[in-house]
Amino acid sequence: IFVGFGLGATIKYQDVLKCLHEKRIATSTGALTQFGLMPLLGYFYANVFRMNNEHAIGLMLIAMAPGGVTTNLITYWSNGDVMLSITMSAVSTTLAFGMMPLLIEIYINTTFTDGGLNIPYEWIVITLLLLLVPTGIGVFIRAKSEIWAKRLEKMGSVLGVIFLFVALIWALLADSHLLDQNFGLWWSCATLQVIGCFFAYGIAALFGLRPVARRTIGIEAGIQNSTLIITLIGNSFDDKDERIKVFTPVFLYSVSYFFNSVWIMLFFRWISHDEVDKETSDVMNANKDGVKLEQVVTDIKVEERKGGTEIPSSPLDRASSLEGPSRA
């Protein structure tokens, strides 16, 4: 609930609507990779490594989850497009209402429910509501008070990380054997974020999106809302042994998430500096004939405004016009 408040507090609905309008391709690409690429990758892993039903269901649930609660912060640290990240988080969380039940039917119920596992759809809806309703309240608070929105934003981010950290520590203390898994399960959970991130980056590049949007989409697609899935599993499986098996892939993904996020962030920061250097080089090459940009601006013909006054053609002229008539 507090995570939802924090997410909503980052959203200014006017900016989201503007981003949806101006960056339709980027937002659509993000949704495509979130609910198209990631579940497909999880399904591929589950079949290639022949996972048992419980592990496959846990992996599929984390693969089909909406974007995680820390994507906005990691996007900021990675020199990405924070507004696009916030918009994609809002869109993916909203779409999850329809997409998660649909994806469960497509991937889980057709392949991994031979053991009679029951997927309680009512708890999927309830869990998503526990995130979406507070998010809506956070958006409303942001519209009314920037001060309280900032407080909620910090509180939600901190509590989200704390909840995930406590869940990991609890699992380590209560069920340390969760770390003792086969190579296939470890590989799948450890690389789901990484492979998803860079595949999404490549798809964004194919759509002709700018590098800053590619980084943002990669981060958003790779980081799943494990907090949501942990809550969903806890409310959905009554049998303890069954619940622990389903939880295991989520646990391994969350452990790997901390390390993966750090090196992905550092890598994206590094290539973003190269992008800035390239843009600077392009500008210098375009200006290598020695023409001074200031002179180009000064030489532009002066156009008259409707009122008959002239637009100053240089910074010096503008400064003179602001001073008014000179004193005798």
Side-chain angles (χ1 to χ4, degrees):
I1 293 176
F2 287 110
V3 170
F5 282 135
L7 175 61
T10 66
I11 299 172
K12 196 171 183 179
Y13 72 91
Q14 297 96 331
D15 292 340
V16 171
L17 293 176
K18 182 180 179 182
C19 187
L20 284 172
H21 176 70
E22 296 180 352
K23 302 177 182 179
R24 295 185 296 273
I25 296 178
T27 306
S28 301
T29 304
L32 175 66
T33 55
Q34 187 80 59
F35 295 113
L37 170 67
M38 295 303 291
L40 191 61
L41 180 60
Y43 188 76
F44 172 80
Y45 276 152
N47 282 279
V48 166
F49 293 110
R50 298 183 179 180
M51 298 180 186
N52 61 50
N53 287 340
E54 292 86 350
H55 287 166
I57 289 173
L59 181 65
M60 288 306 305
L61 286 175
I62 194 66
M64 62 181 62
V69 296
T70 58
T71 53
N72 309 147
L73 185 61
I74 294 176
T75 297
Y76 173 76
W77 286 338
S78 302
N79 294 330
D81 187 336
V82 178
M83 193 62 241
L84 177 60
S85 175
I86 292 172
T87 302
M88 289 174 58
S89 295
V91 169
S92 67
T93 301
T94 304
L95 290 178
F97 267 97
M99 293 305 301
M100 284 193 68
L102 177 62
L103 292 170
I104 286 173
E105 284 293 333
I106 293 173
Y107 289 106
I108 294 180
N109 286 348
T110 59
T111 310
F112 305 117
T113 55
D114 295 337
L117 291 177
N118 180 37
I119 305 295
Y121 291 99
E122 64 274 11
W123 270 110
I124 295 176
V125 175
I126 291 172
T127 305
L128 286 169
L129 282 173
L130 287 175
L131 177 65
L132 195 62
V133 172
T135 299
I137 296 174
V139 173
F140 176 78
I141 293 174
R142 172 66 184 267
K144 297 296 182 181
S145 173
E146 290 282 344
I147 296 176
W148 278 102
K150 290 293 183 183
R151 292 174 181 174
L152 279 177
E153 180 182 345
K154 292 179 181 179
M155 179 183 67
S157 299
V158 170
L159 288 178
V161 173
I162 290 176
F163 177 86
L164 185 58
F165 183 75
V166 169
L168 292 175
I169 295 299
W170 170 81
L172 284 172
L173 295 177
D175 302 287
S176 58
H177 65 279
L178 293 178
L179 294 173
D180 186 19
Q181 303 297 330
N182 59 61
F183 169 80
L185 187 59
W186 257 114
W187 175 266
S188 301
C189 299
T191 62
L192 182 67
Q193 176 185 353
V194 178
I195 301 298
C197 175
F198 287 103
F199 262 87
Y201 185 97
I203 292 173
L206 290 176
F207 278 98
L209 298 176
R210 295 174 62 243
V212 65
R214 299 176 202 170
R215 292 195 298 273
T216 305
I217 291 171
I219 292 169
E220 194 74 25
I223 298 179
Q224 308 298 85
N225 195 333
S226 53
T227 305
L228 175 71
I229 302 303
I230 291 172
T231 305
L232 175 62
I233 293 173
N235 292 326
S236 302
F237 298 92
D238 296 327
D239 183 83
K240 180 181 178 181
D241 292 336
E242 186 178 79
R243 182 170 62 248
I244 290 175
K245 288 180 180 179
V246 175
F247 170 72
T248 300
V250 185
F251 169 71
L252 298 180
Y253 169 88
S254 300
V255 171
S256 305
Y257 151 80
F258 286 103
F259 301 100
N260 287 335
S261 296
V262 170
W263 78 259
I264 288 174
M265 177 190 67
L266 293 175
F267 176 75
F268 277 160
R269 285 184 65 88
W270 174 61
I271 65 173
S272 70
H273 290 309
D274 286 347
E275 291 161 7
V276 173
D277 292 341
K278 184 178 183 301
E279 290 178 0
T280 303
S281 176
D282 290 343
V283 172
M284 295 300 294
N285 289 335
N287 196 36
K288 62 185 178 181
D289 55 356
V291 178
K292 295 183 179 180
L293 297 179
E294 293 86 350
Q295 187 63 39
V296 173
V297 173
T298 304
D299 291 341
I300 295 176
K301 292 182 180 181
V302 178
E303 297 181 358
E304 294 186 356
R305 293 178 179 170
K306 290 183 180 180
T309 58
E310 294 184 343
I311 301 174
S313 59
S314 69
L316 182 59
D317 294 336
R318 284 194 291 270
S320 300
S321 65
L322 292 175
E323 292 176 358
S326 58
R327 296 180 181 177

